[in-house]
Amino acid sequence: MAVTNLANTIIPVVFDKYVLNTILKTNRFIQSGIMVPDDTLGDQLLQPGNDITIPFLNDLSGEPQAWTDTDDINVDNLTTGSQRAIKFRQAKAFGSTEISRMVSGAPIAETIAGRFANYWNNVDQTILNSTLQGVFANSKVANTKLFDQTVVSPSTPTFGAKGFLAAIGLLGDLQDQTFTKIAVNSATYSQMKFQGMISTIQPQNSVTPINYYNNMEVIVDDDIPLEKGGIATAYIYGSGAVSYSTVLHSTEVVHEALKQGGRDSVVNKRVSATHVNGTTLAKSFNPAGQTTITSELAKGSTWDIADGVDPRNIRVVAYKSQLDDDFVPAALKADKSSDGK
């Protein structure tokens, strides 16, 4: 009887294109316009070095000059700046034994081939949320881009319209033309529904309805942390807030006849970059190992605001609040005193 194995299922060149196309089509943050594929990142992914330099032009500034026929008009130069983005080198392998395929009859090879893109999508969401956690742990960013209702209004810290408006107010006169998306934990989303904040639109010729809050599309993502006691963070995005690129460096199918009675594995290696525009790697940052790992992203010391960037041009703000206890998972509810108070 013919057996479908990984080598039959996966042709590396075709597989790489399939995975990349599927990522771009199915990643929710790419489809929503929050993460924007950026050739500036992609062109540098396979170049030497551990990070990527992103040059930019600063906005025009300075006082206008009085126009007379006695004085020359001075010419100011455009000023430039740069941001440093992290380059991730990552690898993942999945496999199955010959015995497992014979006994289970499950389509293991087809499943591995079909789900690798979804796996990388989940990894990218984790990278994005860990990056945001670290960016907003930086005091310079937090002072201008984080509204913490539990600190500002401890007597009324609950997620609501007032705190939301205060959060987007951090962008001043840009608040009504910049933000288009809000990403929340599912517990926060449940409270928003209870408060009647969500409106649902069923687009024509679309199977899935789209949920909106204050004219912003709502993205529900449980990778967004929910802290003990129901302290929740919502991230409010403008279009193009995050640049993204990924390259599948190689795909290999490996047969090991002596391992576990015979084992087939598919090994995927990639290089990627996910960067919050307007921020930069701190000058003092160096990865502990050969390449940056996810846990290093969540540290405030990893990040800084790029020189010359107006913090308002960082197109994401964080809104921290406390959820009603009814919407908080049991494991994260605040500890109660022994007398029940």
Side-chain angles (χ1 to χ4, degrees):
M1 181 179 69
V3 177
T4 300
N5 56 34
L6 288 172
N8 300 139
T9 305
I10 297 174
I11 302 171
V13 174
V14 177
F15 181 77
D16 288 353
K17 292 180 179 178
Y18 165 77
V19 170
L20 283 173
N21 287 336
T22 304
I23 287 172
L24 295 177
K25 290 178 180 178
T26 61
N27 186 301
R28 294 179 300 159
F29 287 90
I30 293 175
Q31 289 301 304
S32 69
I34 291 172
M35 292 171 60
V36 178
D38 189 339
D39 291 339
T40 302
L41 299 179
D43 291 343
Q44 299 183 61
L45 284 178
L46 298 183
Q47 297 299 315
N50 290 322
D51 52 61
I52 295 170
T53 300
I54 310 169
F56 63 89
L57 289 172
N58 291 315
D59 203 358
L60 305 183
S61 62
E63 292 294 326
Q65 184 178 342
W67 182 20
T68 72
D69 62 3
T70 58
D71 298 306
D72 293 338
I73 298 175
N74 298 322
V75 179
D76 288 339
N77 294 323
L78 292 175
T79 60
T80 63
S82 63
Q83 306 167 42
R84 292 170 59 221
I86 288 177
K87 185 186 298 183
F88 295 98
R89 295 188 293 270
Q90 298 171 310
K92 188 64 179 180
F94 292 101
S96 62
T97 65
E98 294 176 28
I99 296 296
S100 69
R101 294 195 296 273
M102 291 174 61
V103 172
S104 70
I108 298 173
E110 293 90 335
T111 298
I112 292 174
R115 297 295 291 172
F116 231 128
N118 185 68
Y119 168 79
W120 286 124
N121 279 342
N122 291 334
V123 171
D124 285 333
Q125 288 181 199
T126 300
I127 287 174
L128 174 60
N129 286 309
S130 295
T131 298
L132 290 171
Q133 187 176 345
V135 164
F136 285 99
N138 177 278
S139 59
K140 292 181 184 178
V141 178
N143 288 340
T144 56
K145 309 293 293 185
L146 167 66
F147 181 78
D148 189 343
Q149 194 168 353
T150 65
V151 174
V152 175
S153 182
S155 60
T156 55
T158 302
F159 182 100
K162 183 178 180 180
F164 169 82
L165 292 174
I168 66 171
L170 294 174
L171 274 201
D173 58 0
L174 300 179
Q175 59 185 279
D176 290 333
Q177 56 183 302
T178 300
F179 292 125
T180 57
K181 307 289 187 299
I182 179 171
V184 297
N185 185 284
S186 60
T188 307
Y189 179 64
S190 295
Q191 179 158 332
M192 294 169 74
K193 288 195 293 184
F194 173 75
Q195 294 177 340
M197 294 179 169
I198 304 297
S199 59
T200 301
I201 298 175
Q202 179 65 59
Q204 189 175 6
N205 300 323
S206 176
V207 176
T208 306
I210 301 175
N211 296 313
Y212 285 88
Y213 169 64
N214 204 47
N215 295 321
M216 297 181 184
E217 183 181 348
V218 179
I219 297 172
V220 182
D221 181 8
D222 276 341
D223 279 339
I224 298 173
L226 182 64
E227 301 172 33
K228 186 76 172 179
I231 305 300
T233 300
Y235 294 112
I236 306 164
Y237 296 93
S239 295
V242 181
S243 291
Y244 170 81
S245 188
T246 187
V247 173
L248 292 184
H249 183 265
S250 65
T251 297
E252 298 177 64
V253 179
V254 181
H255 177 69
E256 300 165 287
L258 301 181
K259 286 283 188 180
Q260 297 176 283
R263 183 174 68 186
D264 289 311
S265 303
V266 56
V267 184
N268 215 187
K269 300 172 185 176
R270 75 164 191 169
V271 186
S272 69
T274 299
H275 183 69
V276 178
N277 292 316
T279 69
T280 187
L281 283 173
K283 293 178 181 178
S284 59
F285 174 75
N286 285 298
Q290 288 187 357
T291 188
T292 303
I293 59 176
T294 306
S295 61
E296 292 175 301
L297 301 178
K299 299 177 180 179
S301 57
T302 301
W303 303 102
D304 204 348
I305 298 176
D307 291 342
V309 169
D310 183 337
R312 296 187 306 167
N313 291 326
I314 300 175
R315 295 193 169 192
V316 56
V317 299
Y319 168 35
K320 184 175 284 191
S321 60
Q322 186 167 15
L323 302 182
D324 291 339
D325 202 47
D326 291 341
F327 299 103
V328 180
L332 294 175
K333 290 184 184 292
D335 295 329
K336 303 294 185 180
S337 61
S338 58
D339 60 1
K341 296 182 179 178

